[in-house]
Amino acid sequence: MSNTKARLPQPVASEHMALKARNVSFSWDSTPLHWLPGDPFTTHTINVLHLLLPAGERWFVHVYKQVLPLIRDERLREDVIGFIGQEAMHSQAHDEVLPHLREQGLDPTPYTAQVDWLFEKLLGDRTLPPGKPRQWWLMERVAMISAIEHYTAFLGDWVLNAEELDRRGADPTMLDLLRWHGAEEVEHRAVAFDLFMHVDGSYRRRARTWATAFTALVFLWQRGARFFMENDPTLVDGKASFRDFHRSGRAGTLPTTGDMIRSIPRYLSRAYHPSQEGSTEQAVAYLASSPAATAAEARANGAA
């Protein structure tokens, strides 16, 4: 085999499985504002997911519906349709946390309005001439979603293994939401990358859009954590800093800075394929025990 072929992404066949959306629901009546007891910083850093994901995953779905006609591989088409169903459900589940935050005196509207503008306007459809300009903008967004999905899968794998959250008494409903979502991110972790490679595959575009996505995620996440800490009605002069993030990573309640940095060269490697990371077996095992996912399965079987 030539060196060029050896560097091509090599998917792990055993990590592929058919995708399905699970129509989960959660009750937030008993979930406290600081769902990780005594740790508002970790609580709110993870809570940023509820601010970013509803708009972000609606954007994923919107872009992928435009790409569907370009897919020439039937299995990939099925994967993308399954991905769309799962992402739509993720958006809905996180969106339903926001009224609970408002009831506890933390209104996220000023921040979510900015996130909505980012995905709907800045990254939304543009009035471009048909042909290459329109195709270019579509491929840019497909590549950007691939980069973002690298980090959602990274976070999904982390939360499935974050035993410190259990030891510290994290609210079981919030933990189930995070792990259900994380397990599905691991389950479908290869779809966005496979789609990008199928319709474009440019390494230069992959690297460029990674830089854009990573910078935007870091900016939005620190801004969201600061927003929550500053507006938490139970805190006086609440603040969030990278030092706090680093400290929480070392404590095991957030991903470590080192793990996040080491994820960068993996994605930028020409031999990278998402199936080489994480474990579908672990993800499926969690989904088989998740209270929300098993309840959804029971409802689906009852309706059938």
Side-chain angles (χ1 to χ4, degrees):
M1 179 180 290
S2 72
N3 290 334
T4 301
K5 289 184 178 178
R7 288 197 303 268
L8 291 176
Q10 297 297 311
V12 180
S14 62
E15 291 295 312
H16 178 271
M17 68 175 301
L19 302 174
K20 64 177 181 179
R22 298 166 179 88
N23 189 19
V24 299
S25 63
F26 299 90
S27 173
W28 301 109
D29 295 343
S30 302
T31 299
L33 179 61
H34 300 153
W35 53 262
L36 189 64
D39 193 343
F41 175 76
T42 295
T43 292
H44 290 323
T45 299
I46 296 177
N47 274 349
V48 176
L49 287 168
H50 310 313
L51 307 182
L52 295 178
L53 292 179
E57 295 190 312
R58 285 194 298 268
W59 176 69
F60 289 3
V61 170
H62 177 75
V63 171
Y64 275 17
K65 285 182 177 179
Q66 296 180 46
V67 182
L68 275 173
L70 305 180
I71 300 174
R72 302 175 302 280
D73 180 276
E74 191 55 37
R75 191 175 85 163
L76 179 59
R77 177 186 295 276
E78 292 174 1
D79 287 344
V80 171
I81 291 171
F83 178 98
I84 287 172
Q86 289 188 341
E87 294 293 273
M89 195 65 238
H90 298 168
S91 175
Q92 178 181 318
H94 285 278
D95 209 21
E96 290 173 353
V97 180
L98 301 185
H100 173 68
L101 294 176
R102 292 188 188 95
E103 290 169 2
Q104 297 185 87
L106 218 174
D107 183 5
T109 304
Y111 186 88
T112 55
Q114 296 176 24
V115 175
D116 288 344
W117 177 86
L118 171 73
F119 285 107
E120 294 174 9
K121 302 298 183 183
L122 187 62
L123 295 176
D125 295 338
R126 296 180 179 177
T127 305
L128 296 169
K132 288 185 177 180
R134 196 171 295 179
Q135 183 79 357
W136 177 87
W137 181 229
L138 181 59
M139 292 303 106
E140 287 289 295
R141 292 184 291 172
V142 170
M144 200 172 300
I145 292 171
S146 175
I148 294 171
E149 280 291 297
H150 173 63
Y151 287 102
T152 58
F154 169 87
L155 292 172
D157 184 54
W158 173 80
V159 78
L160 287 173
N161 294 285
E163 297 177 356
E164 188 62 25
L165 297 178
D166 300 274
R167 283 193 285 270
R168 298 200 181 194
D171 175 72
T173 302
M174 185 63 74
L175 204 52
D176 188 35
L177 167 65
L178 296 172
R179 286 182 171 156
W180 156 75
H181 185 174
E184 290 198 346
E185 290 297 331
V186 171
E187 188 181 40
H188 71 222
R189 65 194 182 280
V191 175
F193 183 83
D194 286 344
L195 178 60
F196 168 67
M197 295 300 292
H198 180 72
V199 297
D200 184 84
S202 163
Y203 181 80
R204 183 177 297 179
R205 172 172 274 141
R206 177 172 140 199
R208 183 181 67 248
T209 54
W210 166 82
T212 302
F214 182 78
T215 302
L217 285 172
V218 171
F219 172 77
L220 290 169
W221 218 295
Q222 59 86 25
R223 186 177 174 87
R226 287 175 180 171
F227 172 84
F228 270 137
M229 292 293 287
E230 291 170 0
N231 290 277
D232 185 321
T234 71
L235 301 179
V236 177
D237 196 28
K239 296 184 182 301
S241 68
F242 285 109
R243 180 178 296 178
D244 295 323
F245 184 90
H246 181 70
R247 186 184 301 117
S248 295
R250 294 183 64 181
T253 56
L254 288 175
T256 68
T257 307
D259 282 346
M260 294 190 68
I261 291 172
R262 283 187 290 272
S263 75
I264 296 172
R266 294 202 301 273
Y267 184 75
L268 295 178
S269 166
R270 290 183 183 272
Y272 167 85
H273 191 271
S275 62
Q276 300 160 2
E277 302 191 28
S279 167
T280 299
E281 182 180 5
Q282 182 186 30
V284 171
Y286 182 77
L287 292 168
S289 64
S290 157
T294 54
E297 187 76 17
R299 286 194 299 272
N301 291 336

